[in-house]
């Protein structure tokens, strides 16, 4: 038998002795892996939930509160997108915010008639 290196000789010697077996009691292995799996899933779910809440908060923070009020009021008043766009154009022309026009019906009438 011609062995190329010392490590080959060591591997062959260990293999001749017999395979090594690891004994792990079934109850200990099942309990620890089950708990670890639930903890892992719980942590993953919590991280996803926290990330979603944070992303939603950051996206709403970028929008002006007056813009959010305009969107809410225009929905409650039943304005179409075309009507909301017209109000935005009037407000931009007059240099005011569109929510101000929605809150003042007389301003809207004056702008639409004039």
């Amino acid at each position: 038998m011609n062995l190329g290196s010392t490590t080959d000789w060591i591997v062959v010697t260990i293999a001749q002795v017999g395979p090594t077996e690891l004994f792990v009691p079934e109850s200990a292995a099942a309990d620890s892996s089950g708990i670890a799996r639930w903890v892992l899933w719980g942590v993953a779910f919590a991280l996803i939930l926290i990330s979603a809440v944070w992303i939603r908060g950051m996206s709403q923070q970028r929008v002006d509160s007056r813009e959010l009020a305009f969107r809410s009021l225009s929905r409650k008043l039943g304005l179409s997108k075309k009507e909301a766009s017209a109000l935005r154009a009037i407000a931009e022309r007059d240099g005011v915010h569109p929510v101000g026009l929605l809150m003042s019906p007389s301003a809207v009438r004056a702008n639409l008639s004039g």
Side-chain angles (χ1 to χ4, degrees):
M1 181 158 126
N2 184 9
L3 296 175
S5 69
T6 309
T7 55
D8 290 339
W9 179 79
I10 293 172
V11 170
V12 169
T13 305
I14 292 173
Q16 289 173 354
V17 173
T20 304
E21 293 182 25
L22 177 64
F23 174 73
V24 178
E26 287 183 26
S27 62
D31 290 342
S32 66
S33 68
I35 292 172
R37 186 172 294 138
W38 280 106
V39 169
L40 181 64
W41 280 108
V43 168
F45 179 75
L47 286 175
I48 291 170
L49 184 65
I50 289 169
S51 298
V53 169
W54 182 74
I55 289 170
R56 181 174 168 92
M58 292 303 290
S59 66
Q60 284 186 348
Q61 187 178 15
R62 289 187 210 128
V63 179
D64 185 20
S65 60
R66 294 177 298 179
E67 177 62 25
L68 292 174
F70 176 76
R71 290 178 189 174
S72 177
L73 280 173
S74 63
R75 256 186 264 121
K76 286 183 181 180
L77 293 174
L79 297 179
S80 67
K81 290 187 185 246
K82 191 174 183 179
E83 292 169 331
S85 296
L87 276 174
R88 287 181 197 276
I90 292 169
E92 187 176 325
R93 180 192 71 199
D94 293 345
V96 295
H97 203 275
V99 74
L101 292 178
L102 277 181
M103 296 190 62
S104 174
S106 61
V108 173
R109 274 185 256 121
N111 280 310
L112 289 178
S113 65

